[in-house]
Amino acid sequence: KGGGKGSRPSRGPADLEAGDACYYKSSSMGWITAQVLRYSPEDGTYDLDVKSQVPPQSVFALKPGQRVEYHSASSNSWIPAAVVREGSSPGTFDLDCKDGVIMSRIRPPQDYVPPSGPTSSRGGSGGYSYNGSTASPYGGGGGGGGLGAIPESGLPEGLRQAKMDQLRSAVNAENPEELRRRLESTSALHLVGEDLNMANHKLRLLEARPEAERDLRSALQSGKKAHLEIAIEAAMVCEADPALIEAAKQALQRTSVSPMWRYDAGDGHHIDVRQRPQIDGPRVRKRLEAGDVFCVTEERAGPEGVTYLQLADGRGWLFDRKPGFGSMCQRYTYDRPDGPGLYIIIHDDTAVTPTEAVAADAILTKLPARTVVRVTQVSRNMAANRVRGKLENPMGWISLLDMESGLRWAIQHADASARMM
């Protein structure tokens, strides 16, 4: 078929030849992986390893530039992609978003419309028969367009059982490379079943887990509530390190409560800030007066029910209670909307910048805690998630609030005891 010795066999309208990988549109299972055996120019059909005499409109070829969809492990969803070339490993393809992708993670676009032509093959005696209720390990079944494995076809029971045992062992070992190899092996033998469904799901989790754990560590570093929420959800789906997830949950819980506290021991005396979370630890040359409000970035449980409070401005540590004495600091709620007026600085060394923009390299001066300033204008800088205030003196802008974390640099003067400085 297609010429004498040395000539190139006819590839047909789908530009496929024997050995090429493709997808076949099954009427019961949607697009499934297949391999070309030959093209028959006599009737214009392809013989595939899954069915004979398949018309070109039921075949989807993976050629450079072809639009496809790729199953992203990180987002656990199908995303648009394009074929760049065949991959360096057999049975893989390089996409514009990832190299070396196996066919089980690629599918034709959901909106793909095959070229016009006959809608059924002229025979099909050499192909497999399908049962519409057969489950697909790649999300197929019905006409949903998912990729499905092919029902087993007379495999020796001993071989089938050995392959499935190897697959279960790879699942239990949680080795993605071995699991991927076993899945490709069982797929090549057209095995189906619940074990394959579970193995494919496990592989996606294992592939996504490292990235999910990296993102979770990044969220822990940032301490941002929205970042933590998204990262925790992804990590739980991927069955990431339980200790890491628990640490992130605790960090999220801390962001869900007010980061503001107020010092008032009830005796009117000041308190010296500690260098580390220890009541009798070394003190720094910073102190808070009775009634002073401050923000914290960490609340650390200590012995005897004491919670140590790390000040957000880096001054050091305080504690919520002192055994044998009583309460020292109480959680503080501040819900007044920001507007022009007098404010007291609660974040030591608050930066004053020349414009509304948050620019660390353009600081005019820094204001110590308990400084009282007049704000003449308030603006919301959505790009930086900050509420900014324009000062009368010194002239410039300061941050009033981090809209994401709830941390504050200043509160309105009426809500705090302060001395004009």
Side-chain angles (χ1 to χ4, degrees), residues 143 251 331:
R331 204 174 293 279

Side-chain angles (χ1 to χ4, degrees), residues 165-185:
D165 287 345
Q166 291 170 343
L167 182 63
R168 294 187 189 105
S169 177
V171 169
N172 293 333
E174 295 195 347
N175 183 327
E177 295 300 325
E178 176 66 12
L179 183 53
R180 187 180 299 109
R181 192 165 69 86
R182 292 303 175 189
L183 277 169
E184 291 170 355
S185 174

Side-chain angles (χ1 to χ4, degrees), residues 196-225:
L196 278 175
N197 289 336
M198 184 180 301
N200 272 279
H201 178 68
K202 190 70 172 181
L203 177 59
R204 290 176 182 174
L205 294 186
L206 291 173
E207 289 178 331
R209 186 180 295 170
E211 184 177 345
E213 291 184 344
R214 282 193 299 270
D215 190 45
L216 195 57
R217 292 188 179 94
S218 174
L220 273 167
Q221 276 192 327
S222 73
K224 302 294 186 181
K225 182 177 181 181

Side-chain angles (χ1 to χ4, degrees), residues 1-9:
K1 298 179 182 179
K5 183 177 180 180
S7 66
R8 183 176 181 178

Side-chain angles (χ1 to χ4, degrees), residues 63-145:
K63 298 294 181 181
Q66 175 65 60
R67 287 195 314 115
V68 294
E69 291 182 358
Y70 160 67
H71 191 277
S72 167
S74 58
S75 65
N76 195 29
S77 62
W78 292 94
I79 62 174
V83 177
V84 177
R85 65 183 73 84
E86 289 189 19
S88 56
S89 299
T92 66
F93 290 83
D94 294 343
L95 307 182
D96 57 355
C97 59
K98 188 178 181 65
D99 290 343
V101 181
I102 60 175
M103 289 187 67
S104 61
R105 301 180 72 84
I106 307 172
R107 72 181 183 187
Q110 293 291 77
D111 60 355
Y112 173 71
V113 178
S116 59
T119 57
S120 61
S121 64
R122 293 167 26 186
S125 58
Y128 294 94
S129 61
Y130 293 95
N131 183 329
S133 62
T134 301
S136 162
Y138 302 127

Side-chain angles (χ1 to χ4, degrees), residues 240-258:
D241 181 2
L244 189 60
I245 293 176
E246 182 58 32
K249 285 182 175 179
Q250 292 178 8
L252 179 61
Q253 185 177 16
R254 290 194 293 270
T255 68
S256 301
V257 298
S258 171

